Amino acid sequence: MNREQLQSYIYTEKLLAQLYRQAAARATMQDERQVLLSFAQNAEQNANYLNYFYRQEFGTGFDPMIPEGNIQGTYRDLLNEIQKQELSSYLELRKLTYNQGDIELRETIRAITDDKLAHILTLLAIVTDMNTPESER
């Protein structure tokens, strides 16, 4: 994996952490807020894991500045954007688990993608639940 790829993966995790925090601020249900904040922590942790390998390979850490951005639209729009980012990241990282020679990196990426899959499914459940009439919940 080259420097630019690893920087891109770290950047994406930092961006996801920020988006999850924004979504948590918009969540009206406490349990959703807690889940989203937990996912933000997972994304930060993923960035830290990837940064470990970055430091090993390049001798220095990578701490990108994530511009403060706000997704225009509804809470659902924000969740859909996060889900899109997570899915894209999941698919990209998952490819690395098949051809990565460094066993420690491969297993770390596998753990990250497992978390991402759980995030994607949880976001899907939250958005699907928004479509359920209040009387059926």
Side-chain angles (χ1 to χ4, degrees):
M1 175 174 354
N2 66 40
R3 180 184 294 250
E4 290 77 23
Q5 285 175 307
L6 201 43
Q7 286 177 348
S8 174
Y9 301 145
I10 293 167
Y11 180 89
T12 298
E13 292 306 308
K14 293 281 200 172
L15 174 64
L16 282 166
Q18 182 184 84
L19 291 174
Y20 277 122
R21 285 189 294 273
Q22 287 177 10
R26 292 187 187 185
T28 57
M29 295 172 44
Q30 183 62 26
D31 57 339
E32 281 181 19
R33 184 175 299 113
Q34 291 305 318
V35 164
L36 294 169
L37 288 173
S38 171
F39 288 177
Q41 288 177 330
N42 290 148
E44 285 287 348
Q45 187 176 35
N46 292 343
N48 290 338
Y49 289 149
L50 293 169
N51 224 328
Y52 166 81
F53 293 101
Y54 189 89
R55 277 191 300 279
Q56 293 253 342
E57 184 69 24
F58 303 109
T60 184
F62 178 67
D63 188 21
M65 293 297 299
I66 307 299
E68 196 63 40
N70 287 317
I71 302 293
Q72 300 301 314
T74 65
Y75 175 55
R76 179 192 306 255
D77 294 335
L78 179 54
L79 293 178
N80 285 333
E81 177 61 27
I82 293 169
Q83 191 169 21
K84 184 175 106 181
Q85 291 286 333
E86 282 281 30
L87 186 56
S88 175
S89 176
Y90 169 83
L91 293 171
E92 190 67 30
L93 286 171
R94 192 66 188 179
K95 287 187 242 175
L96 297 177
T97 63
Y98 301 112
N99 60 8
Q100 184 54 245
D102 181 332
I103 294 169
E104 186 181 13
L105 178 56
R106 182 176 62 225
E107 291 306 311
T108 299
I109 290 172
R110 183 166 291 146
I112 289 171
T113 57
D114 288 349
D115 281 347
K116 288 184 165 300
L117 187 55
H119 294 180
I120 292 164
L121 293 173
T122 301
L123 290 170
L124 181 60
I126 291 170
V127 171
T128 300
D129 194 43
M130 290 177 176
N131 295 330
T132 304
E134 198 65 36
S135 60
E136 293 180 23
R137 287 188 199 166

